[in-house]
Amino acid sequence: MLKDIVTSMHRHWLIKRRIDHALANLEFSTVFQPIVKIKDMKTVGFEALTRFRNNESYRAPDLWFEDAKEIGLGLNLEQAVLKEVFENLHVVPADCYVTVNVTPAFLLSRNLPIFMNDAPLNRLVIEITEQDLITDYEDVNSVLNPLRAQGVKIAVDDAGSGFSSFWHVLKLKPDLIKLDRKFVSDIDTDVGKSQFVAAIVDYSKKSGSQIIAEGVETAGELSMLSKLEVPFAQGYFLGVPREFNDIVNKF
Ligand code: G
Ligand code: MN
């Protein structure tokens, strides 16, 4: 019993030390991954993603955010990361939109507008992430509506990955639905997946949203998505997340 308490306090201490260090030293940077229009393979946008660096081995960004949330620093870390992301948005070319990941909890903190003064609002997309349950969609819409009025577009991220994300789609009526990669991987060989995605495409057409397929890793997947009339795609097959200079040099 006492041993469990000590172990848990030690874990908390380790996490806090790591996160405090990252916050104090800004140990994160922004990378960008292209979003492509499938019809003509033109890059139409970029998702801004955060990469953490420290002296330990690589840890996925999701783990950083989970850890921070566990010890009550979730919003602090998100705020610091968003500041960095918004400072870097100017690197995205003017003919492309840029998407930024924001949790429902951060939206509801009503702190997002403090970053948005210099942001290109007419080509900014807020991706609402899946992590949190939303209990009051009206509250979330009351934050989103003024942003929408300024030209900001809304996406639901990882749609289909958890219990709540299809509710997000239904209740938030996003401009873009980012279809979770588990529906995309092997879609060319898995009939159930292609039938399911066909139904979502039908829904998106009727509801006025557009789909971005996430996690496209093969030519076969891309070709099936094209057949299903999914308009946009993102994934390693089309471009990995990179520092923006590296992307520009590739063109
Ligand atoms: O939750 P969200 O969809 O925002 O997460 C994006 C993450 O997915 C990034 O960390 C990015 O590196 C990763 N990612 C991007 N494209 C692919 C892909 O084609 N396959 C896999 N497995 N991961 C990808
Ligand atoms: Mn995302």
Side-chain angles (χ1 to χ4, degrees):
M1 183 64 183
L2 183 63
K3 191 169 153 247
D4 291 346
I5 294 172
V6 172
T7 308
S8 136
M9 281 170 63
H10 184 243
R11 177 182 156 76
H12 187 289
W13 178 78
L14 281 178
I15 293 176
K16 184 159 172 11
R17 194 179 60 165
R18 195 190 302 127
I19 290 181
D20 283 346
H21 198 271
L23 286 171
N25 299 290
L26 302 181
E27 287 170 336
F28 38 80
S29 55
T30 308
V31 290
F32 295 87
Q33 186 176 29
I35 297 169
V36 168
K37 185 172 182 183
I38 295 179
K39 233 179 211 157
D40 56 12
M41 294 299 284
K42 288 223 165 83
T43 298
V44 292
F46 289 89
E47 176 171 5
L49 293 159
T50 295
R51 289 292 176 262
F52 291 87
R53 59 191 129 73
N54 65 2
N55 295 330
E56 299 164 35
S57 54
Y58 172 81
R59 301 183 77 243
D62 288 358
L63 293 179
W64 279 89
F65 287 112
E66 271 169 35
D67 282 352
K69 196 170 159 186
E70 182 183 328
I71 62 163
L73 288 179
L75 290 180
N76 301 57
L77 185 64
E78 193 171 351
Q79 171 136 350
V81 159
L82 280 170
K83 182 170 184 290
E84 172 77 20
V85 165
F86 274 92
E87 279 171 7
N88 280 291
L89 293 190
H90 62 274
V91 300
V92 172
D95 57 350
C96 290
Y97 62 81
V98 58
T99 81
V100 173
N101 295 279
V102 181
T103 63
F106 194 84
L107 271 179
L108 290 174
S109 77
R110 292 177 158 74
N111 277 326
L112 190 57
I114 61 177
F115 300 116
M116 297 185 38
N117 283 340
D118 299 323
L121 297 182
N122 58 342
R123 51 192 186 87
L124 177 66
V125 180
I126 299 296
E127 290 191 20
I128 299 172
T129 59
E130 213 305 287
Q131 287 99 321
D132 309 312
L133 274 176
I134 297 180
T135 47
D136 186 345
Y137 282 97
E138 259 177 50
D139 208 12
V140 173
N141 273 320
S142 77
V143 176
L144 295 181
N145 287 340
L147 299 178
R148 287 178 149 128
Q150 290 178 283
V152 176
K153 300 269 188 295
I154 306 301
V156 166
D157 201 10
D158 299 331
S161 68
F163 297 115
S164 50
S165 56
F166 281 136
W167 272 114
H168 290 8
V169 169
L170 218 55
K171 298 285 185 182
L172 301 176
K173 301 187 176 39
D175 305 278
L176 294 161
I177 300 170
K178 297 198 73 180
L179 188 66
D180 191 70
R181 70 178 64 92
K182 71 171 178 254
F183 294 100
V184 172
S185 108
D186 297 328
I187 192 169
D188 47 333
T189 51
D190 185 325
V191 178
K193 286 188 189 179
S194 61
Q195 288 169 339
F196 188 81
V197 171
I200 308 269
V201 169
D202 189 43
Y203 168 82
S204 73
K205 285 179 181 164
K206 287 172 179 154
S207 66
S209 307
Q210 289 189 301
I211 296 180
I212 302 173
E214 294 181 331
V216 178
E217 292 184 350
T218 68
E221 289 165 358
L222 187 65
S223 136
M224 176 56 82
L225 291 164
S226 170
K227 223 181 272 174
L228 292 169
E229 298 183 20
V230 171
F232 303 107
Q234 180 180 354
Y236 295 160
F237 184 66
L238 302 160
V240 297
R242 289 174 201 272
E243 302 269 335
F244 207 85
N245 284 342
D246 296 343
I247 296 175
V248 173
N249 291 338
K250 243 185 70 189
F251 282 126

